Amino acid sequence: MADSTFWGPDFQALEQQDPEIAKVLLDELDRQRTGLQLIASENLTSPAVLAAFGSVLSNKYAEGYPGRRYYGGCEVVDRAEELAISRAKHLFGAEHANVQPHSGASANLAAYAAFTKPGDKVLALSLAQGGHLTHGSPVNFSGQWFEPIHYTVKRDSEYIDYDEVRSLALEHRPRMIIAGATAYPRLVDFAAFRQISDEINAILMVDAAHFIGLVAGKAIPSPVPYADVVCFTTHKVLRGPRGGMILSRAEHAKEIDKAVFPKMQGGPLMNAVAAKAVVLKECTTTAYQDYASQVIKNAQALASELDKQGLRPVSGGTDTHLILLDLQGIGVTGKEAERRCDLAKITLNKNSIPYDPQPPMVSSGVRVGTPSITTQGMRESQMTEVASLILRTIKETEDSKFTQIAAEVNALVAQYPAYPRA
Ligand code: DSN
């Protein structure tokens, strides 16, 4: 079981004051340490990031921007935001950075707010094909306040159909085109999106939430030279605190800043801003660059092992940190696979696959990612065992067998501990 030594004296005070919540923290640490963490959008952030995130900066209201705040006493937190902004600009070679969005969805909403007005057409990949709720889903503001047009992936290759993107763009002339996805394992051709956007004078917004960490680690090409605006979360491969961020060209700086505050957010979370600064410094190290390329090597090794063992990766593999698996060949739904994996302490998520005959809450696929297990130190040689644990679990029909698999999972992750004990 996890113990309170991970957090130090402050945690002992919490244990005394609120033992129920203290136990939630300990149990979650235990869950992260003893299971296989394969959710593609999660990671294990560093103790330094956690320290900044759980700090007294949480107490400070700081509406506005450094040097232009609506509250007194911001001279100290200003330093955190200035560092975060300059580190973001330097790391990504961006002309402007806004580090205040509370999340990826907030960052995306700010991009809509900066460049579009309700009723405008927006061209994006639908959630069902691997996009995101904020890319025009009917249950999200983006599908309710705007007119979404959706491009798709090709039925045969399962790669984005750039001819279709272009013909839809020319036909509908959307105000904004969104590139980027949450369940698309391949690289995105930003140059193609830029060319299409230029043809119709549309804004190109790249939702880089999933892969920005790979860009930060110089493991894949950057969207920054191509996009008008790049929105992302800071807690996926990037391995920072939960939160969002926006990069843009200098010409859009004013509009982006006004869109984040005061158009759609109030006070920034200065503890999160400081924690973003911490991770942006971590990302400049060669250790982080090695990590980012290892994430991809592990994902490719895992995809190839799963394929060999009988689980089809959508599009035949991956160029990134994530693999989308089509379970139709083995006759198990994504929902049931996720349930079985939970029982075996393998944490992943059900996910629609392109042209999925099942509804999203059932789905025909699961999505797996390598950010967390790579942080734990696993390499290509461990991917054979990870693949066989996933496959055995998904195929297992007797609930009584999952305890044994969970013990094997525990034995594997114990060799690569999350948050190792001192
Ligand atoms: N929930 C995130 C993901 O898992 O991809 C996207 O917002």
Side-chain angles (χ1 to χ4, degrees):
M1 281 299 284
D3 58 61
S4 55
T5 52
F6 179 70
W7 282 282
D10 289 348
F11 188 78
Q12 279 139 34
L14 173 67
E15 270 182 315
Q16 280 188 354
Q17 183 187 317
D18 193 337
E20 287 161 292
I21 285 294
K23 182 146 170 29
V24 172
L25 269 61
L26 287 175
D27 287 350
E28 177 57 17
L29 176 59
D30 203 41
R31 189 196 68 78
Q32 292 183 17
R33 278 175 169 163
T34 56
L36 205 41
Q37 307 304 332
L38 294 175
I39 292 194
S41 48
E42 292 180 355
N43 211 332
L44 304 162
T45 196
S46 70
V49 168
L50 290 177
F53 203 58
S55 68
V56 293
L57 271 63
S58 170
N59 298 334
K60 190 71 197 93
Y61 253 121
E63 270 124 320
Y65 290 99
R68 295 176 285 132
R69 305 283 191 187
Y70 287 82
Y71 287 82
C74 290
E75 64 280 3
V76 179
V77 293
D78 271 4
R79 282 170 21 221
E81 187 160 348
E82 280 158 357
L83 280 167
I85 291 168
S86 68
R87 287 176 185 177
K89 285 163 66 176
H90 177 71
L91 179 66
F92 296 110
E95 293 173 357
H96 178 67
N98 186 305
V99 298
Q100 293 192 4
H102 300 328
S103 69
S106 310
N108 291 356
L109 177 53
Y112 278 87
F115 298 117
T116 61
K117 44 184 195 334
D120 277 353
K121 291 179 181 166
V122 175
L123 178 61
L125 188 66
S126 71
L127 181 60
Q129 294 254 320
H132 185 250
L133 278 168
T134 55
H135 299 179
S137 162
V139 298
N140 183 262
F141 76 86
S142 55
Q144 294 176 3
W145 299 345
F146 298 88
E147 193 181 323
I149 297 135
H150 285 131
Y151 56 86
T152 58
V153 299
K154 292 181 187 166
R155 279 187 187 267
D156 50 0
S157 65
E158 297 168 315
Y159 278 58
I160 289 171
D161 186 343
Y162 292 95
D163 292 336
E164 185 195 35
V165 178
R166 180 164 184 270
S167 67
L168 288 172
L170 294 178
E171 181 188 344
H172 296 280
R173 309 194 78 79
R175 171 74 185 121
M176 186 162 80
I177 298 181
I178 302 179
T182 64
Y184 182 68
R186 295 303 180 175
L187 295 179
V188 175
D189 185 345
F190 304 122
F193 272 107
R194 178 74 263 165
Q195 203 181 337
I196 295 165
S197 304
D198 283 346
E199 276 189 73
I200 58 161
N201 203 20
I203 290 288
L204 176 58
M205 188 262 249
V206 173
D207 183 341
H210 261 267
F211 55 81
I212 195 71
L214 303 175
V215 174
K218 304 194 190 315
I220 63 168
S222 171
V224 171
Y226 301 97
D228 291 284
V229 60
V230 179
C231 301
F232 53 92
T233 47
T234 48
H235 50 267
K236 297 188 170 88
V237 187
L238 194 69
R239 210 163 55 184
R242 293 200 81 83
M245 206 179 286
I246 302 177
L247 307 173
S248 78
R249 296 182 172 179
E251 67 191 273
H252 303 311
K254 256 197 180 142
E255 282 312 310
I256 288 292
D257 285 354
K258 278 195 297 188
V260 173
F261 172 84
K263 212 181 243 185
M264 43 142 308
Q265 281 189 183
L269 313 178
M270 296 313 296
N271 55 322
V273 167
K276 288 171 195 174
V278 173
V279 79
L280 290 166
K281 186 171 180 186
E282 290 177 358
C283 287
T284 60
T285 61
T286 51
Y288 184 82
Q289 290 173 9
D290 293 346
Y291 163 73
S293 54
Q294 190 63 48
V295 165
I296 299 176
K297 286 182 205 156
N298 284 353
Q300 289 175 334
L302 183 57
S304 141
E305 273 303 322
L306 287 162
D307 201 8
K308 257 193 249 164
Q309 296 183 31
L311 272 186
R312 187 185 83 83
V314 166
S315 82
T318 182
D319 302 321
T320 63
H321 62 297
L322 76 84
I323 307 154
L324 187 59
L325 293 165
D326 176 0
L327 307 179
Q328 292 173 112
I330 58 165
V332 181
T333 64
K335 182 181 176 185
E336 177 58 14
E338 183 186 294
R339 188 191 75 84
R340 291 177 189 178
C341 286
D342 268 343
L343 292 172
K345 295 223 176 187
I346 297 173
T347 305
L348 44 68
N349 63 283
K350 63 180 164 296
N351 213 105
S352 296
I353 59 171
Y355 307 101
D356 202 324
Q358 299 281 4
M361 283 304 283
V362 179
S363 82
S364 301
V366 289
R367 189 186 63 166
V368 299
T370 51
S372 297
I373 57 175
T374 308
T375 294
Q376 288 174 250
M378 292 193 203
R379 298 286 177 267
E380 291 100 309
S381 47
Q382 281 74 55
M383 295 306 119
T384 312
E385 187 176 355
V386 172
S388 89
L389 285 165
I390 294 171
L391 197 80
R392 271 172 59 206
T393 305
I394 292 181
K395 282 184 163 173
E396 182 56 67
T397 52
E398 281 180 47
D399 278 11
S400 60
K401 298 280 172 57
F402 294 121
T403 318
Q404 169 56 30
I405 303 179
E408 291 174 47
V409 164
N410 200 354
L412 172 64
V413 297
Q415 297 169 59
Y416 304 92
Y419 301 112
R421 291 170 171 86

